[in-house]
Amino acid sequence: MTTITTNSSRSTGTRATRVLGVVAIVLMTWVVVSGLFVTPADAVQLDSVRIMYVHVPSAWIAYLAFITTGIASGISVVRRHRSLGFDRVAGASAEVGVLFMAITLVTGSLWGRLTWGTFWQWDPRLTTTAFLFVTYVGYLAIRRLDATPQQRARRSSILALLAVLEIPLVHFSVVLWRSLHQEASVLNTDGDVRLDGLMLFTLFSGVLAFSAAFAWFVIHRQRVAALDDLRLTSGLDAALVERRAEAVTQ
Amino acid sequence: MKDVGFIALSYGLTVGSMLVFAILTVRRARTLSRSIPDRDKPWL
């Protein structure tokens, strides 16, 4: 009998994150199978509606990611002398949000080509979404500027608190302005859900799958950020000790 | 299925990009974990 031993200290995973990862994979597999083969085609959009099962959940979870970044940044500002943990959660969540927003833009563009006949239009929803994406790419760029972790937390928190204000603008852009993009079918103001039962079930399975993936990504990315900060500060400490030793010998 | 290319590309890019992101995250975690002692990893 072969015994497999694992050294957990070689990764940022725990038993809980491994379970979460498996849940995300199972849910995502179901969404792909159901979205492509089980759900019916739409009466108007035909098979192109299948893109909805990845496009809509990625957009919603990107919003959730950016809101998480805003909340974590707010807490980081209030508790700035205590811990950098919330700042790392903010950064990790923004990274995942940018990934999901990129998926939203690409899948939306492919869906637009099938339904509108064009990959891109300078429509209010598309333009505000692209602006939101660029804002968070800028946020991530600011986080990568040369600075101590404390300086990084201060700078990026301010931008995150401003950037989160764009989300209501993106979501309500289809109501506020004349838009090519359809109005919300589920998260609408009149509470009337205009979707077939199986289609709605697959859509919410997608939301659960993307939520599980989001949680898994954020947990691991913030642990990676913690390791990065530790490496940076221990490197700085070592350099200071070396410099002091040089000064004593001279 | 109509427009299968666009639909398959949407699903492929979605799942593929998430997989790549996960693999890069795990690789980075493993590289950094080697240089940091276990006592500095509160999740262990």
Side-chain angles (χ1 to χ4, degrees):
Chain A
M1 193 174 126
T2 311
T3 307
I4 299 169
T5 54
T6 56
N7 184 358
S8 60
S9 66
R10 284 181 57 205
S11 75
T12 49
T14 56
R15 184 185 292 271
T17 59
R18 279 188 274 276
V19 170
L20 186 62
V22 170
V23 169
I25 291 168
V26 169
L27 284 169
M28 193 56 83
T29 306
W30 160 249
V31 172
V32 172
V33 171
S34 182
L36 290 178
F37 306 109
V38 182
T39 53
D42 183 67
V44 178
Q45 298 193 33
L46 305 175
D47 282 313
S48 72
V49 77
R50 297 180 194 283
I51 296 175
M52 173 181 73
Y53 306 117
V54 287
H55 173 75
V56 174
S58 65
W60 287 358
I61 305 306
Y63 289 167
L64 173 71
F66 295 149
I67 291 168
T68 304
T69 296
I71 292 169
S73 296
I75 297 171
S76 171
V77 167
V78 173
R79 298 165 52 119
R80 66 181 182 276
H81 298 300
R82 294 187 192 174
S83 162
L84 289 165
F86 284 103
D87 173 65
R88 291 187 201 112
V89 169
S93 190
E95 286 176 338
V96 184
V98 165
L99 171 74
F100 285 179
M101 196 46 88
I103 291 172
T104 305
L105 286 168
V106 173
T107 54
S109 178
L110 292 167
W111 197 5
R113 178 69 182 81
L114 295 177
T115 52
W116 304 333
T118 179
F119 286 108
W120 186 262
Q121 272 284 322
W122 291 103
D123 158 274
R125 169 59 72 83
L126 275 64
T127 307
T128 51
T129 305
F131 188 66
L132 185 70
F133 174 74
V134 171
T135 304
Y136 278 92
V137 170
Y139 168 86
L140 293 180
I142 282 181
R143 290 187 69 85
R144 277 161 181 72
L145 291 175
D146 272 345
T148 63
Q150 287 76 14
Q151 287 170 328
R152 179 197 66 203
R154 209 167 34 246
R155 288 174 187 165
S156 57
S157 296
I158 293 162
L159 179 57
L161 289 171
L162 292 173
V164 78
L165 300 176
E166 286 178 41
I167 293 172
L169 191 71
V170 175
H171 187 71
F172 293 110
S173 59
V174 288
V175 182
L176 293 171
W177 294 290
R178 188 192 297 265
S179 177
L180 190 60
H181 195 284
Q182 70 178 69
E183 288 189 23
S185 302
V186 181
L187 295 180
N188 51 25
T189 47
D190 57 13
D192 178 27
V193 179
R194 297 181 283 267
L195 272 180
D196 165 78
L198 184 59
M199 294 166 91
L200 191 63
F201 180 71
T202 307
L203 182 64
F204 274 101
S205 301
V207 173
L208 285 177
F210 276 78
S211 300
F214 165 72
W216 188 92
F217 281 138
V218 169
I219 290 168
H220 282 277
R221 297 299 294 189
Q222 66 92 17
R223 285 176 183 172
V224 166
L227 293 176
D228 246 335
D229 285 350
L230 272 169
R231 198 185 56 153
L232 177 74
T233 49
S234 62
L236 283 175
D237 289 345
L240 277 171
V241 169
E242 200 176 311
R243 190 71 190 90
R244 282 189 191 121
E246 279 175 18
V248 169
T249 53
Q250 280 170 4
Chain B
M1 193 189 290
K2 206 169 174 287
D3 302 314
V4 68
F6 281 87
I7 298 163
L9 188 60
S10 297
Y11 279 74
L13 285 173
T14 301
V15 175
S17 59
M18 287 168 80
L19 268 177
V20 168
F21 192 69
I23 290 166
L24 291 177
T25 301
V26 169
R27 281 179 60 181
R28 182 88 182 127
R30 286 191 174 168
T31 307
L32 286 170
S33 279
R34 283 193 205 109
S35 59
I36 305 290
D38 279 358
R39 65 173 183 278
D40 291 330
K41 299 168 188 164
W43 54 87
L44 288 179

